[in-house]
């Protein structure tokens, strides 16, 4: 029997999956056997979302990771999300389908540069978007996600200088919304910066009644056109409740899977990128597959391992966020 060959990050050996396997059934069996829970982000492929025990935005996934009594967490998302789950569960086994699934925001904010940047503003309050490495989290006062950033930043005393990293678009959106100046790290998401204002205007002309729903990682020109700006869960909830029949969705199109399930009578249109490419799909999120998820549960690897002292340091600003959410 010829299986699909999957190179596993950091290992010489290649694993094969028997194509005749009923992967959904096998994953169900392994979940019970391993006492494992599968957490998935909305940007995962539909087939991964369908085997997950919990699907959510970054905040909900962190909350679910904190609550679970499973022995194994299999995290179908990207590296910083699995790291957060491990920090909240240092004694549990955290496995991921693909250890190399990163994030352009996290990658664009290396620890040494972040520490040097922070040192230029003594006494400032450091707020970091959850899309960053554990090392950056450990150097931050607060962690925020797109669903609680406004609430958390609003609680910082007015006289304090606020540093916000690593997403300049979310930072600029918050600064505008709260009428508060912040010092912004100049990072961005490779997916959300690809959306085109020109193509969005053309799409809206063709669908004048459609509501535009955008993630705050998008650039200001896009956000100014949006009827709703929020996290993936916020976008999903808005679409389910809105009276509109058509919605233009300006975020990674993986979210359409749950939108269509929540509101099958409505039409959801994925906003196009500027180039003729599929670059509105997150290449990191899409590294995961059902086969790799099955292998992660079967072999309990690749495993997320972290330095205990780093987990302790990074946990404080995450706990502050969870307490304020
Ligand atoms: P959410 O927290 O809104 O799900 O966003 C995660 C993310 O990576 C967006 O690009
Ligand atoms: Fe990171 Fe952007 Fe992918 Fe989200 S969509 S995981 S911010 S690269």
């Amino acid at each position: 029997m010829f299986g699909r060959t999957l190179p596993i990050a950091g290992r010489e050996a290649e694993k094969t999956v028997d194509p005749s396997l009923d992967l959904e059934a096998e994953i169900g069996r392994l979940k019970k056997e391993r006492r494992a829970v599968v957490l998935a982000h909305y940007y995962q492929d539909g087939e991964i979302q369908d085997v997950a025990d919990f699907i959510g935005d970054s905040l909900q996934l962190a909350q679910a990771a904190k609550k679970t009594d499973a022995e194994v967490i299999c995290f179908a998302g990207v590296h910083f999300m699995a790291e957060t789950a491990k920090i909240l569960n240092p004694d549990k086994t955290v496995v991921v389908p693909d250890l190399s699934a990163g994030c352009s925001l996290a990658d664009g904010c290396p620890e040494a540069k972040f520490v040097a940047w922070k040192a230029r503003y003594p006494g400032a309050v450091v707020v970091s978007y959850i899309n960053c490495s554990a090392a950056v989290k450990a150097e931050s006062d607060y962690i925020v996600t797109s669903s609680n950033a406004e609430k958390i930043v609003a609680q910082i005393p007015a006289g304090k200088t606020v540093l916000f990293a690593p997403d300049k678009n979310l930072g600029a959106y918050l600064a505008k919304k709260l009428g508060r100046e912040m010092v912004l790290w100049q990072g961005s998401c490779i997916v959300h910066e690809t959306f085109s204002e020109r193509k969005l205007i053309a799409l809206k002309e063709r669908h004048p009644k459609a509501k535009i729903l955008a993630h705050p990682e998008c650039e200001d020109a896009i956000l100014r056109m949006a009827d709703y700006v929020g996290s993936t869960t916020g976008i999903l909830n808005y679409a389910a409740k809105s009276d509109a029949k058509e919605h233009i969705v300006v975020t990674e199109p993986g979210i359409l899977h749950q939108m269509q399930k929540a509101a099958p009578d409505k039409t959801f249109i994925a906003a196009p990128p500027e180039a003729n490419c599929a670059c509105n799909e997150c290449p990191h999120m899409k590294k995961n597959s059902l086969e790799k998820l099955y292998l992660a549960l079967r072999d309990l690897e690749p495993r997320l391992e972290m330095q205990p002292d780093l987990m302790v340091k990074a946990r404080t600003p995450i706990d502050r966020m969870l307490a304020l959410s």
Side-chain angles (χ1 to χ4, degrees):
M1 188 70 66
F2 294 101
R4 268 180 266 182
T5 303
L6 296 169
I8 301 299
R11 309 190 90 230
E12 292 301 309
E14 290 192 336
K15 300 188 182 188
T16 53
V17 175
D18 176 350
S20 68
L21 274 184
D22 177 345
L23 286 179
E24 283 84 358
E26 283 299 304
I27 287 169
R29 180 182 65 77
L30 286 167
K31 281 201 285 190
K32 281 197 199 116
E33 222 172 274
R34 305 269 187 246
R35 290 198 24 82
V37 66
V38 174
L39 306 182
H41 188 264
Y42 291 119
Y43 295 165
Q44 292 298 289
D45 283 337
E47 59 181 11
I48 292 183
Q49 295 186 36
D50 289 345
V51 297
D53 298 288
F54 184 83
I55 317 161
D57 67 9
S58 307
L59 175 64
Q60 292 173 315
L61 288 167
Q63 288 166 329
K66 192 175 180 188
K67 262 202 333 237
T68 186
D69 57 4
E71 283 167 22
V72 173
I73 298 173
C74 179
F75 209 116
V78 290
H79 195 265
F80 76 83
M81 296 178 174
E83 253 186 359
T84 306
K86 182 68 184 173
I87 292 165
L88 292 167
N89 296 280
D91 300 327
K92 288 194 202 294
T93 300
V94 176
V95 295
V96 292
D98 191 319
L99 205 48
S100 70
C103 167
S104 68
L105 279 167
D107 294 346
C109 189
E111 181 193 3
K113 283 193 177 163
F114 179 78
V115 170
W117 178 67
K118 190 181 123 168
R120 285 170 32 211
Y121 304 92
V125 178
V126 183
V127 181
S128 294
Y129 189 31
I130 198 165
N131 299 39
C132 65
S133 66
V136 165
K137 287 184 175 77
E139 294 292 334
S140 305
D141 296 307
Y142 292 95
I143 297 305
V144 297
T145 76
S146 53
S147 62
N148 60 20
E150 192 180 331
K151 186 174 166 193
I152 292 175
V153 175
Q155 292 179 29
I156 298 171
K160 284 276 183 193
T161 300
V162 177
L163 305 189
F164 188 86
D167 186 13
K168 64 176 180 182
N169 291 327
L170 174 59
Y173 169 74
L174 291 169
K176 197 165 156 185
K177 204 123 192 247
L178 293 166
R180 170 166 204 164
E181 255 185 62
M182 298 198 290
V183 183
L184 306 180
W185 179 275
Q186 294 299 302
S188 60
C189 160
I190 45 164
V191 176
H192 288 85
E193 68 181 5
T194 179
F195 294 112
S196 154
E197 183 189 8
R198 182 179 65 85
K199 288 194 178 175
L200 189 56
I201 292 170
L203 195 58
K204 177 75 179 173
E205 271 166 16
R206 292 204 301 280
H207 302 271
K209 289 192 176 154
K211 296 280 187 201
I212 297 178
L213 318 179
H215 196 280
E217 287 174 17
C218 295
E219 289 169 352
D220 184 55
I222 300 285
L223 298 181
R224 274 189 275 120
M225 289 181 67
D227 296 285
Y228 175 79
V229 176
S231 77
T232 48
T233 296
I235 289 175
L236 185 61
N237 291 344
Y238 182 98
K241 287 188 198 139
S242 108
D243 295 332
K245 286 276 167 256
E246 288 186 317
H247 299 83
I248 298 171
V249 184
V250 202
T251 191
E252 216 275 359
I255 194 171
L256 265 59
H257 186 63
Q258 294 303 324
M259 291 180 122
Q260 274 145 4
K261 279 191 181 181
D265 54 325
K266 295 181 182 172
T267 304
F268 300 105
I269 307 158
E274 177 61 36
N276 290 325
C277 58
C279 30
N280 57 344
E281 290 198 356
C282 175
H284 302 290
M285 290 277 182
K286 271 21 187 200
K287 276 190 175 171
N288 297 331
S289 65
L290 207 57
E291 286 86 355
K292 290 184 195 174
L293 195 151
Y294 158 74
L295 288 172
L297 282 170
R298 189 191 72 183
D299 302 341
L300 293 184
E301 61 173 25
R303 241 177 239 214
L304 232 276
E305 304 286 9
M306 296 174 69
Q307 293 293 329
D309 55 335
L310 176 61
M311 287 197 272
V312 170
K313 256 189 112 183
R315 182 159 181 157
T316 306
I318 297 174
D319 278 342
R320 278 191 198 127
M321 168 188 84
L322 293 173
L324 290 169
S325 299

